[in-house]
Amino acid sequence: MSQSPENHREDVAGRANVEDTPELLAYYDELEAKNAGALWTVANKIEPWEPQSQSVPVVWAYEDLRADVLRSLKLVTPEKAGRRVVYLSNPGRRDVTAAVGWIYAGLQVMNPGEQATAHRHSASAIRFIMEGTGAYTVVDGHKMTLGANDFVLTPNGTWHEHAVEASGSTCIWQDGLDIPFVNAMEANFFEVHPDLSEPVAYPVDDMTKTWGNAGLTPTNGDWNKGYSPMFKYEWEPTYEALSKYAEATDGSPFDGIMMEYVNPTTNGPVMKTMGASMQLLRPNEHTKAHRHTGSYLYHVAKGSGHSIINGKRFDWKERDIFCVPSWAWHEHVNGSSSDDACLFCLNDLPVMRALGLYREQAFGDNNGNQPIV
Ligand code: GTQ
């Protein structure tokens, strides 16, 4: 007779702790044959005491990947590939295409004059520009010019296409999507634009010009979609906002000077499933360790340093991407004594918060098995 395949016993009151016996093993086999099972053989596994991320912390060093990304220019065309992207995979999550948790990420590359076909999908996407000039994205007819460290939204259901002007240079940007999440929800639709491209229907950069003015909003502004109308957040005003805020605050001991990209009509996250922030670490800053639920994909927008994630050191520098899985302890260190470091972070906090799943805990808080609510 076989061993029960998954008998996760724990000698703790309230937890499953049933010994295998020949009779029980036969019983498990019978249940399995009927597409059923005994909860106590899996209960301790499927209800862990605290979140058990299968993702592991990873740094994707740009200097390691850049040549491979550029190599794809010669290997495939955007026409054949749809999108020419090298995706980031997490060694703990080979079962899904995810960089961390339920977040997908990739590095997309385009030559001047190239264009990818317009499409839309249920997954929401962001783009974070890494290098090159002349890149643009068209979202529902709104054309956005893109420069380094600009952050662009292509929300769930919007037509979008990416291109680089013929007068530009080879461009690389990071894509971030909630594809694994939407697939886990079994809710992903994909559609290619019937004309393969969508005409630009508005003045260039109109959404940022309309909605991206600090403290000012259009008097007759009308927007009630579930995502931010400010499709593009530019680097310069972002860095300026962080620098100004740094003059007015000591910042958070856990996060330094951190600001969230928001939907200007709600002050809430930019999209329903994914949020993003930019964090400034002052020279020599070393944040205190904490952990929280949710998946976090960092992109080093400026500077260099390291993070300690679940007790292990991960060095990073400008353009590297790294992840902090759910409930992993983490602290960040700016390695420079003279320059700021800035970390862009894409996360699934809107989902965690909307579903009542967000928890956080400071290192050293002794809450037993009860994380801070
Ligand atoms: O441009 O919408 O890297 O749909 C992967 C899937 C980019 C995109 C990716 C996508 C996109």
Side-chain angles (χ1 to χ4, degrees):
M1 199 158 307
S2 60
Q3 279 275 298
S4 82
E6 298 184 89
N7 194 350
H8 302 271
R9 293 175 56 190
E10 277 180 48
D11 187 12
V12 178
R15 299 292 273 181
N17 188 15
V18 179
E19 280 165 57
D20 285 345
T21 63
E23 192 181 8
L24 276 171
L25 289 173
Y27 175 64
Y28 300 152
D29 286 345
E30 276 169 43
L31 287 175
E32 195 183 340
K34 294 172 190 169
N35 299 318
L39 174 63
W40 61 87
T41 63
V42 296
N44 297 340
K45 180 181 179 214
I46 66 173
E47 292 181 302
W49 291 102
E50 57 182 36
Q52 301 281 334
S53 182
Q54 285 168 24
S55 303
V56 296
V58 181
V59 178
W60 291 273
Y62 192 49
E63 67 184 10
D64 288 347
L65 275 174
R66 186 173 180 273
D68 296 308
V69 171
L70 291 172
R71 198 166 151 219
S72 72
L73 287 166
K74 298 198 189 75
L75 298 174
V76 292
T77 60
E79 288 76 27
K80 282 253 181 168
R83 280 133 295 159
R84 196 198 281 115
V85 181
V86 170
Y87 66 80
L88 307 182
S89 69
N90 190 293
R93 298 293 304 288
R94 297 289 190 211
D95 50 329
V96 283
T97 309
V100 60
W102 300 100
I103 296 176
Y104 158 100
L107 301 180
Q108 186 158 173
V109 60
M110 248 185 213
N111 266 332
E114 284 185 336
Q115 190 174 349
T117 45
H119 64 277
R120 64 179 176 182
H121 35 65
S122 314
S124 292
I126 67 103
R127 240 145 289 281
F128 194 80
I129 312 308
M130 300 174 75
E131 62 172 273
T133 58
Y136 66 91
T137 285
V138 182
V139 176
D140 275 349
H142 300 276
K143 176 173 174 175
M144 280 152 298
T145 56
L146 305 174
N149 286 348
D150 287 354
F151 162 55
V152 194
L153 310 180
T154 50
N156 161 352
T158 56
W159 291 113
H160 53 281
E161 68 190 78
H162 315 301
V164 177
E165 309 278 7
S167 58
S169 60
T170 299
C171 289
I172 302 179
W173 59 84
Q174 180 200 325
D175 292 326
L177 293 96
D178 56 9
I179 289 175
F181 173 71
V182 178
N183 284 342
M185 296 291 106
E186 302 179 338
N188 209 355
F189 291 92
F190 185 98
E191 214 178 328
V192 176
H193 196 287
D195 303 326
L196 303 182
S197 177
E198 228 217 340
V200 175
Y202 307 93
V204 172
D205 288 328
D206 70 313
M207 292 309 246
T208 300
K209 286 177 174 159
T210 303
W211 298 99
N213 301 301
L216 293 164
T217 197
T219 46
N220 59 352
D222 179 24
W223 188 264
N224 47 28
K225 296 185 179 166
Y227 48 85
S228 170
M230 190 173 157
F231 292 166
K232 174 179 66 160
Y233 297 74
E234 292 171 355
W235 165 242
E236 272 183 28
T238 304
Y239 185 58
E240 193 187 336
L242 285 160
S243 305
K244 280 190 195 159
Y245 183 36
E247 291 171 14
T249 179
D250 290 336
S252 149
F254 302 104
D255 295 313
I257 309 294
M258 187 169 184
M259 296 181 104
E260 191 185 351
Y261 292 92
V262 294
N263 175 341
T265 68
T266 63
N267 229 28
V270 289
M271 296 189 286
K272 283 190 173 173
T273 51
M274 289 189 296
S277 58
M278 185 69 83
Q279 178 173 5
L280 184 151
L281 302 169
R282 290 154 290 190
N284 285 336
E285 182 155 8
H286 185 154
T287 63
K288 288 191 175 161
H290 71 158
R291 60 182 177 179
H292 32 65
T293 50
S295 301
Y296 302 84
L297 190 69
Y298 290 86
H299 182 126
V300 184
K302 180 174 166 28
S304 61
H306 69 269
S307 299
I308 300 168
I309 308 170
N310 279 342
K312 206 173 149 201
R313 176 176 168 147
F314 295 86
D315 288 285
W316 39 255
K317 58 180 187 292
E318 197 169 311
R319 295 291 158 244
D320 291 349
I321 297 170
F322 66 96
C323 67
V324 172
S326 188
W327 210 234
W329 294 113
H330 57 283
E331 57 198 88
H332 304 302
V333 182
N334 179 351
S336 167
S337 55
S338 54
D339 294 328
D340 296 332
C342 289
L343 301 176
F344 171 79
C345 184
L346 176 69
N347 61 60
D348 57 4
L349 281 173
V351 173
M352 305 311 278
R353 292 215 162 98
L355 303 185
L357 298 173
Y358 185 71
R359 304 285 187 283
E360 63 182 50
Q361 189 178 37
F363 188 76
D365 274 9
N366 190 2
N367 287 295
N369 294 314
Q370 298 303 316
I372 298 164
V373 180

